[in-house]
Short mmCIF file of all heavy atoms in Angstrom, two decimals:
data_model
loop_
_atom_site.label_atom_id
_atom_site.label_comp_id
_atom_site.label_asym_id
_atom_site.label_seq_id
_atom_site.Cartn_x
_atom_site.Cartn_y
_atom_site.Cartn_z
N SER A 509 100.14 123.77 150.68
CA SER A 509 100.48 124.18 152.16
C SER A 509 101.13 125.65 152.06
O SER A 509 100.91 126.57 152.96
CB SER A 509 101.42 123.35 152.76
OG SER A 509 102.69 123.27 152.23
N VAL A 510 102.02 125.88 151.18
CA VAL A 510 102.73 127.24 150.98
C VAL A 510 101.70 128.31 150.67
O VAL A 510 101.67 129.38 151.40
CB VAL A 510 103.85 127.17 149.99
CG1 VAL A 510 104.39 128.60 149.71
CG2 VAL A 510 104.95 126.24 150.42
N LEU A 511 100.85 128.15 149.58
CA LEU A 511 99.91 129.06 149.23
C LEU A 511 98.85 129.39 150.13
O LEU A 511 98.27 130.44 150.33
CB LEU A 511 99.51 128.78 147.78
CG LEU A 511 100.58 128.74 146.72
CD1 LEU A 511 100.10 128.29 145.33
CD2 LEU A 511 101.24 130.14 146.52
N SER A 512 98.27 128.22 150.72
CA SER A 512 97.30 128.24 151.65
C SER A 512 97.64 129.14 152.89
O SER A 512 96.91 129.87 153.35
CB SER A 512 96.82 126.86 152.14
OG SER A 512 96.31 126.16 151.16
N SER A 513 98.81 128.92 153.49
CA SER A 513 99.31 129.67 154.60
C SER A 513 99.41 131.13 154.33
O SER A 513 99.02 132.12 154.83
CB SER A 513 100.64 129.23 155.07
OG SER A 513 101.59 129.19 153.98
N SER A 514 99.95 131.46 153.00
CA SER A 514 100.04 132.81 152.52
C SER A 514 98.62 133.46 152.47
O SER A 514 98.30 134.62 152.80
CB SER A 514 100.77 132.89 151.14
OG SER A 514 100.78 134.14 150.56
N GLU A 515 97.64 132.75 151.93
CA GLU A 515 96.33 133.23 151.61
C GLU A 515 95.67 133.52 152.97
O GLU A 515 94.97 134.47 153.18
CB GLU A 515 95.56 132.26 150.78
CG GLU A 515 94.37 132.87 150.09
CD GLU A 515 94.68 133.79 148.99
OE1 GLU A 515 95.83 133.86 148.63
OE2 GLU A 515 93.69 134.33 148.37
N LEU A 516 95.88 132.50 153.86
CA LEU A 516 95.12 132.73 155.17
C LEU A 516 95.60 133.80 155.98
O LEU A 516 94.86 134.69 156.58
CB LEU A 516 95.33 131.45 156.00
CG LEU A 516 94.58 130.22 155.70
CD1 LEU A 516 95.12 129.00 156.34
CD2 LEU A 516 93.11 130.36 155.91
N LEU A 517 96.90 134.19 155.85
CA LEU A 517 97.54 135.40 156.50
C LEU A 517 97.12 136.64 155.83
O LEU A 517 96.80 137.66 156.49
CB LEU A 517 99.02 135.26 156.56
CG LEU A 517 99.63 134.04 157.40
CD1 LEU A 517 101.05 134.02 157.20
CD2 LEU A 517 99.21 134.32 158.84
N GLU A 518 97.27 136.64 154.44
CA GLU A 518 96.95 137.81 153.68
C GLU A 518 95.63 138.34 153.90
O GLU A 518 95.21 139.50 154.00
CB GLU A 518 97.33 137.68 152.18
CG GLU A 518 97.11 138.82 151.40
CD GLU A 518 97.16 138.52 149.87
OE1 GLU A 518 97.44 137.33 149.48
OE2 GLU A 518 96.68 139.46 149.05
N LYS A 519 94.57 137.43 153.86
CA LYS A 519 93.12 137.78 153.83
C LYS A 519 92.55 137.70 155.35
O LYS A 519 91.34 137.80 155.52
CB LYS A 519 92.35 136.84 152.90
CG LYS A 519 92.66 137.08 151.44
CD LYS A 519 91.89 136.35 150.64
CE LYS A 519 92.17 136.61 149.08
NZ LYS A 519 91.43 135.78 148.16
N ASN A 520 93.41 137.35 156.28
CA ASN A 520 93.00 137.23 157.70
C ASN A 520 91.85 136.36 157.81
O ASN A 520 90.80 136.64 158.35
CB ASN A 520 92.66 138.67 158.15
CG ASN A 520 92.36 138.66 159.68
OD1 ASN A 520 92.94 137.85 160.41
ND2 ASN A 520 91.66 139.64 160.10
N LEU A 521 92.13 135.05 157.35
CA LEU A 521 90.95 134.10 157.32
C LEU A 521 91.07 133.10 158.47
O LEU A 521 90.35 132.01 158.45
CB LEU A 521 90.91 133.34 155.99
CG LEU A 521 90.54 134.15 154.68
CD1 LEU A 521 90.73 133.25 153.52
CD2 LEU A 521 89.11 134.62 154.83
N LEU A 522 91.92 133.29 159.36
CA LEU A 522 92.07 132.35 160.51
C LEU A 522 90.65 132.41 161.30
O LEU A 522 90.26 133.46 161.68
CB LEU A 522 93.14 132.87 161.44
CG LEU A 522 94.63 132.84 160.78
CD1 LEU A 522 95.68 133.26 161.87
CD2 LEU A 522 94.99 131.44 160.33
N CYS A 523 90.23 131.28 161.55
CA CYS A 523 89.05 131.20 162.20
C CYS A 523 87.78 131.45 161.61
O CYS A 523 86.67 131.70 162.10
CB CYS A 523 88.97 131.72 163.75
SG CYS A 523 90.25 131.10 164.71
N VAL A 524 87.90 131.76 160.17
CA VAL A 524 86.78 132.02 159.38
C VAL A 524 86.55 130.97 158.53
O VAL A 524 87.27 130.78 157.55
CB VAL A 524 87.08 133.38 158.56
CG1 VAL A 524 85.86 133.71 157.68
CG2 VAL A 524 87.45 134.60 159.45
N THR A 525 85.54 130.10 158.81
CA THR A 525 85.27 128.87 158.18
C THR A 525 84.72 129.25 156.74
O THR A 525 85.22 128.59 155.65
CB THR A 525 84.20 127.98 158.93
OG1 THR A 525 84.85 127.80 160.28
CG2 THR A 525 84.09 126.74 158.17
N ASP A 526 83.75 130.09 156.68
CA ASP A 526 83.13 130.38 155.33
C ASP A 526 83.10 132.01 155.36
O ASP A 526 82.18 132.71 155.85
CB ASP A 526 81.60 129.88 155.34
CG ASP A 526 81.58 128.40 155.41
OD1 ASP A 526 82.22 127.85 154.42
OD2 ASP A 526 80.99 127.81 156.31
N PRO A 527 84.01 132.56 154.57
CA PRO A 527 84.07 134.02 154.44
C PRO A 527 82.82 134.44 153.85
O PRO A 527 82.45 134.06 152.83
CB PRO A 527 85.28 134.22 153.46
CG PRO A 527 86.03 132.90 153.60
CD PRO A 527 85.06 131.90 153.77
N ASP A 528 82.16 135.50 154.52
CA ASP A 528 80.98 136.08 153.95
C ASP A 528 81.25 137.44 153.16
O ASP A 528 82.39 137.81 153.04
CB ASP A 528 79.98 136.39 154.97
CG ASP A 528 80.47 137.13 156.07
OD1 ASP A 528 81.51 137.82 155.93
OD2 ASP A 528 79.90 137.21 157.12
#
Side-chain angles (χ1 to χ4, degrees):
S509 67
V510 172
L511 297 174
S512 293
S513 59
S514 175
E515 199 75 4
L516 286 168
L517 292 171
E518 181 191 351
K519 295 183 179 178
N520 192 26
L521 293 174
L522 298 181
C523 295
V524 180
T525 306
D526 296 299
D528 55 16

